[in-house]
Amino acid sequence: MSVPPRFRSTDSGERDFRSVLGPTGNKLQRKPPGMKLENKKMTTTIESKDEKTKKKPDPPASPTTTLKQCSSLCSSLLRKNSASMTASYSSDASSSCESSSSSRKKVVRRSGSVSSAVGACAVGRRKLVDEKDDKVAGGGGSNGDCFADGRRRCAWITPKSDPSYVAFHDEEWGVPVHDDKKLFELLCLSGALSELSWTDILSRRQLLREVFMDFDPVAVSELNEKKVISAISLLSEVKLRSILDNSRQVRKIIAEYGSFKKYMWNFVSNKPTQSQFRYQRQVPVKTSKAEFISKDLVRRGFRSVSPTVIYSFMQAAGLTNDHLTGCFRFQDCCVDAETTTKAKKTVA
């Protein structure tokens, strides 16, 4: 009679505890309350024996040794990579350098040709302008031949210029002035150039002389302000008030230096500046000397005395001779300057 096979009874003590998927996740199954802890002791003793029989693992390496090993490995890898990269780059660089050098040579050649062409054009234009100016200054153009007297004048004086402006250029402009009244008059007229031209100023010159007592600085400083402003049809109110204020400052300078001419001519050492300009484009609008005089006048309380105004005054009063060398007045103003300086030396 066959015996039924025996199934090994699963004792509660030999049961393995595995994780069970519950509704809230994986949880360990709880031990039954009547369970003994003998199996645990057995497992711990077996594990301790196994640990003794096993070889002890090597102690963990210190962080310094690991860092050294990593750095040595990295440096060796970098050296290999850099050597291979430099080898590849050197071949590429040699080819690129050859192409870049050839392209640079082409660019330099092109830029040099362009710059030389531009320079040649500029030189050619300047030569044409100089030839025109030479014709005008030499009387070969439309400027010199059309004057009735046949004289050569500065380029800004044309046959179409106003006769009063031509007369001012031929008789007064650039002639050294040593009279206080005349110097003050030219200073006032130069100040009006910011609003009017020389032609407009010269056309009103006689009326201005009547209003301002022939530009006597002492007499103008005593004028009533209402009388001065009544001449607003001739100049703006700003310019009229500046003339009145400047006359008072000139009076102070006369009391300090003895005369206004002495004060002004000390800036140029009592000798006019001979510019010797050949072309009109060389004549400046202002100079460092004009800026210096302007600053001193502003410090003393003068108005409407910018560097451009002061340089126009210096040109008109003969402190500087800005007649072009081709103008017939250039030599005359030079002679006038020499005679005045000689006369001063003999008087001294």
Side-chain angles (χ1 to χ4, degrees):
M1 186 172 177
S2 63
V3 180
R6 294 180 181 180
F7 292 96
R8 189 177 179 183
S9 64
T10 57
D11 190 6
S12 62
E14 297 176 356
R15 188 183 300 171
D16 295 328
F17 297 97
R18 296 177 182 175
S19 60
V20 179
L21 185 63
T24 58
N26 291 331
K27 291 183 180 179
L28 293 174
Q29 188 177 4
R30 292 182 180 179
K31 298 176 184 179
M35 190 176 205
K36 296 179 181 180
L37 299 175
E38 293 177 357
N39 291 333
K40 254 188 184 182
K41 291 180 181 178
M42 291 294 290
T43 54
T44 53
T45 55
I46 292 165
E47 286 176 358
S48 62
K49 288 179 181 180
D50 293 337
E51 286 177 358
K52 288 179 182 178
T53 57
K54 287 180 181 179
K55 291 182 179 180
K56 291 184 179 180
D58 296 332
S62 63
T64 55
T65 55
T66 55
L67 286 173
K68 288 179 181 179
Q69 291 174 358
C70 289
S71 62
S72 62
L73 287 171
C74 290
S75 61
S76 62
L77 288 172
L78 286 173
R79 285 172 187 172
K80 291 178 181 179
N81 291 331
S82 62
S84 60
M85 289 173 72
T86 50
S88 61
Y89 286 158
S90 61
S91 61
D92 295 337
S94 60
S95 59
S96 62
C97 285
E98 290 176 359
S99 60
S100 62
S101 61
S102 60
S103 61
R104 283 178 185 174
K105 287 179 181 178
K106 290 180 181 178
V107 170
V108 168
R109 287 174 184 175
R110 289 178 183 175
S111 62
S113 61
V114 170
S115 61
S116 60
V118 171
C121 290
V123 171
R125 288 177 183 175
R126 181 159 292 183
K127 283 182 179 179
L128 290 174
V129 173
D130 292 345
E131 286 175 1
K132 289 181 181 179
D133 291 342
D134 287 336
K135 286 181 180 179
V136 171
S142 61
N143 186 16
D145 291 340
C146 290
F147 282 108
D149 54 5
R151 290 177 175 177
R152 302 175 187 176
R153 289 176 172 84
C154 294
W156 53 88
I157 303 296
T158 63
K160 295 181 181 180
S161 299
D162 190 80
S164 61
Y165 187 38
V166 177
F168 178 69
H169 167 271
D170 293 350
E171 298 172 5
E172 298 183 53
W173 196 79
V175 178
V177 178
H178 296 277
D179 182 68
D180 286 355
K181 293 181 181 180
K182 189 71 176 293
L183 285 171
F184 180 63
E185 179 185 7
L186 292 175
L187 180 64
C188 297
L189 298 181
S190 300
L193 285 172
S194 59
E195 298 178 352
L196 303 171
S197 63
W198 269 120
T199 303
D200 296 332
I201 292 169
L202 293 172
S203 64
R204 307 175 188 185
R205 188 177 188 179
Q206 189 59 36
L207 295 174
L208 289 171
R209 283 177 175 174
E210 293 175 2
V211 173
F212 292 106
M213 311 291 290
D214 288 336
F215 289 98
D216 183 359
V218 178
V220 173
S221 63
E222 297 174 356
L223 285 176
N224 188 3
E225 188 173 350
K226 292 182 179 180
K227 183 180 179 181
V228 173
I229 295 174
S230 63
I232 199 168
S233 59
L234 300 175
L235 292 174
S236 65
E237 184 178 352
V238 175
K239 297 301 177 184
L240 293 173
R241 289 183 182 276
S242 66
I243 292 173
L244 189 61
D245 294 339
N246 292 345
S247 65
R248 294 165 184 167
Q249 303 305 325
V250 170
R251 189 172 181 177
K252 292 179 182 179
I253 289 174
I254 292 172
E256 182 180 354
Y257 286 88
S259 64
F260 187 50
K261 66 173 183 179
K262 189 176 181 180
Y263 166 77
M264 292 304 305
W265 281 95
N266 281 337
F267 288 107
V268 293
S269 302
N270 297 315
K271 187 177 181 181
T273 305
Q274 304 298 329
S275 301
Q276 296 184 354
F277 296 129
R278 187 177 179 184
Y279 305 112
Q280 181 181 358
R281 66 171 181 274
Q282 295 175 331
V283 181
V285 178
K286 61 182 179 180
T287 58
S288 58
K289 182 70 70 176
E291 291 178 352
F292 182 76
I293 297 172
S294 174
K295 287 180 181 179
D296 192 72
L297 290 173
V298 170
R299 181 180 62 83
R300 292 177 177 272
F302 280 77
R303 297 171 60 186
S304 299
V305 286
S306 64
T308 54
V309 169
I310 294 302
Y311 194 67
S312 299
F313 163 72
M314 293 173 67
Q315 290 173 326
L319 294 170
T320 179
N321 182 12
D322 275 1
H323 282 283
L324 301 181
T325 54
C327 179
F328 79 99
R329 287 296 297 166
F330 176 75
Q331 293 295 332
D332 294 342
C333 291
C334 290
V335 172
D336 292 339
E338 290 177 0
T339 54
T340 51
T341 51
K342 287 179 181 179
K344 283 185 176 181
K345 287 181 181 179
T346 55
V347 170

